[in-house]
Amino acid sequence: GALMARRIDPAGLVGNARGEVELEGKVLVLKRIHVAYSGFELTDADRGTVQRVVDTHAQGCPVARSIGAAIHITTSVDGL
């Protein structure tokens, strides 16, 4: 949605998420999630716009807002 609203075609975009857990006592607890996006071509003109979308995404993401206080979430995009 956010990329299309800025007229950037997200065709081919793939997101891969990796979670990291730590042992707290005898319980595994999810502490960090990193989402890496790849698979689409960025033009030089679009790089700044895509960076701004990535930087502000968590503010409007229901999942990030729900778990963000307990789990550190990071995001990256190939080509940025």
Side-chain angles (χ1 to χ4, degrees):
L3 293 176
M4 291 178 68
R6 289 158 181 83
R7 301 180 193 266
I8 298 173
D9 183 6
L13 182 65
V14 175
N16 291 298
R18 182 189 71 225
E20 296 180 21
V21 298
E22 293 180 4
L23 192 60
E24 288 187 0
K26 295 183 179 185
V27 179
L28 290 173
V29 179
L30 183 60
K31 291 292 190 173
R32 290 171 294 284
I33 297 172
H34 179 74
V35 181
Y37 291 103
S38 62
F40 75 121
E41 296 294 321
L42 286 175
T43 66
D44 289 338
D46 291 339
R47 285 187 191 346
T49 301
V50 171
Q51 185 65 58
R52 285 189 298 280
V53 167
V54 169
D55 290 345
T56 60
H57 171 75
Q59 296 171 17
C61 175
V63 174
R65 295 282 300 267
S66 297
I67 66 173
I71 302 170
H72 183 71
I73 303 169
T74 57
T75 307
S76 65
V77 178
D78 280 356
L80 286 182

